[in-house]
Amino acid sequence: MTHGKMTKGEHEGIARWERRWLSVSGLMSLFFVLLIAYSLATEGAHIAQRSGRTTPDQLTSNPLFAEPGVRTMAPNQYQVTVVAQAFAFAPAEIRLPVGAEVDFFLTSRDVIHGFQIQDTNVNVEVLPSEISYLRYTFDKAGEFRLTCNEYCGISHQNMLGKIIIVPASEFARATTSSADNLGEQIFNTNCAACHQASGEGVAGAFPPVRGHVNELFTAQGGREYLPALLLNGLQGPIEIAGNTYNGIMPAWRQLSDEQIAAVLNYSLTAWDAPSEFQPYEASEILGARNQTLNANDVYTLRQALNLGGQ
Ligand code: CUA
């Protein structure tokens, strides 16, 4: 190499190397883009999308976020909405069945948070005023930790949640037994007209359910009495808290075993649950359904309960 001006040959040599390096970096960029395309196409990778806007003060009136949580859209298809805020996710625990295809809608009430589900490729930035959307299918059962991975303040490290994926059968069972809504729905549709939505009944006309049902349940034989009452009705004068009732409780055989169990569980826990309460199962109702009684037999059963002076 000589000092001073470059010769034409030296200049061309350098230019050649520049072109080589440019092509290498160009090929690397192409390679990375192809990798991303490949993972999107075959590995189920997801890119979160923006699906709309909502400002934090609109959250309570936004149908998606007013009551964040799990909604069933179709068999095995769920919509999960989550509101992130310093320093928690609402809801903090999400339960879904294996195979659930989930549309996540996420937003933040305050600052930027992260939404990362351990052992999955779900990792979304959650921004105030923006709704992030992403679809994910949970293929295996287990408990997945949910973390915020954007520093959001002094207690950022405590911003945790979990997603619990259970076998489909277990999920169905959990939904039925925790289906307060089913029991409440049945109660409001069928029972509230007489016993009132408050369960307090109408003095002298319709007996109270609230409180009284717990009294019946805890009496000896009460657990067996209640399904018999709902399935067969009741006829005969009764006295509750100083009021006399002489109406007719109709039989509710048209309700399914699940529905009867749910409405009993609701009535027993909506206001004050008996201590050590074991919810009714549908199978228990089936057993009672097989014994055919009439409304007068149920009255006799009721009198055999030791209801303390009634
Ligand atoms: Cu929320 Cu860190």
Side-chain angles (χ1 to χ4, degrees):
M1 193 151 170
T2 56
H3 295 279
K5 267 187 104 183
M6 264 194 280
T7 65
K8 198 167 177 238
E10 285 171 331
H11 186 86
E12 275 171 359
I14 289 172
R16 202 157 46 239
W17 276 108
E18 275 179 347
R19 279 195 299 277
R20 282 178 192 158
W21 280 117
L22 276 174
S23 350
V24 168
S25 48
L27 284 173
M28 281 169 72
S29 302
L30 185 64
F31 176 68
F32 293 142
V33 169
L34 287 174
L35 267 188
I36 292 172
Y38 175 80
S39 67
L40 282 174
T42 66
E43 304 291 310
H46 299 271
I47 295 180
Q49 293 160 12
R50 174 182 169 196
S51 92
R53 295 183 63 92
T54 183
T55 59
D57 60 315
Q58 288 168 349
L59 291 185
T60 45
S61 56
N62 185 310
L64 270 179
F65 296 106
E67 282 180 50
V70 177
R71 288 181 192 85
T72 309
M73 308 309 282
N76 236 16
Q77 282 202 318
Y78 299 86
Q79 182 189 73
V80 175
T81 57
V82 177
V83 176
Q85 71 182 95
F87 302 97
F89 295 103
E93 189 180 302
I94 295 164
R95 194 174 281 265
L96 291 161
V98 174
E101 184 181 79
V102 182
D103 287 325
F104 283 101
F105 292 90
L106 316 165
T107 193
S108 163
R109 199 184 286 282
D110 39 40
V111 296
I112 297 178
H113 298 279
F115 182 90
Q116 179 169 18
I117 307 175
Q118 169 204 7
D119 293 339
T120 70
N121 52 19
V122 175
N123 182 359
V124 187
E125 203 168 45
V126 186
L127 308 158
S129 297
E130 300 278 343
I131 302 172
S132 306
Y133 164 78
L134 135 134
R135 174 170 282 188
Y136 186 77
T137 303
F138 290 91
D139 292 322
K140 52 177 197 246
E143 206 174 295
F144 300 83
R145 193 211 294 252
L146 185 60
T147 50
C148 172
N149 57 11
E150 299 269 351
Y151 181 75
C152 52
I154 193 77
S155 195
H156 152 75
Q157 73 279 8
N158 299 321
M159 188 163 167
L160 300 167
K162 55 185 164 183
I163 298 190
I164 302 166
I165 306 298
V166 297
S169 55
E170 193 181 315
F171 183 76
R173 217 177 319 130
T175 336
T176 344
S177 66
S178 77
D180 322 316
N181 333 17
L182 177 63
E184 187 174 6
Q185 209 183 306
I186 301 288
F187 187 90
N188 289 332
T189 313
N190 303 290
C191 317
C194 296
H195 297 292
Q196 310 300 299
S198 67
E200 280 163 353
V202 176
F206 305 114
V209 170
R210 178 178 184 156
H212 182 58
V213 71
N214 300 44
E215 213 180 338
L216 292 167
F217 180 81
T218 45
Q220 173 121 41
R223 185 175 182 107
E224 294 72 35
Y225 170 75
L226 288 173
L229 167 66
L230 265 71
L231 289 162
N232 306 295
L234 173 69
Q235 185 162 19
I238 59 174
E239 198 193 310
I240 299 163
N243 290 307
T244 307
Y245 300 88
N246 201 359
I248 294 174
M249 161 86 173
W252 291 96
R253 284 197 168 255
Q254 69 273 32
L255 295 179
S256 71
D257 298 335
E258 284 79 4
Q259 289 173 320
I260 299 255
V263 78
L264 281 175
N265 293 335
Y266 171 75
S267 309
L268 282 158
T269 54
W271 300 289
D272 32 23
S275 54
E276 294 180 22
F277 176 64
Q278 292 287 321
Y280 282 99
E281 303 269 350
S283 54
E284 219 171 334
I285 310 300
L286 178 63
R289 194 184 287 274
N290 291 335
Q291 314 176 291
T292 349
L293 306 172
N294 64 33
N296 293 314
D297 299 330
V298 175
Y299 185 65
T300 314
L301 279 180
R302 190 181 190 281
Q303 286 180 307
L305 300 175
N306 205 342
L307 289 177
Q310 287 173 43

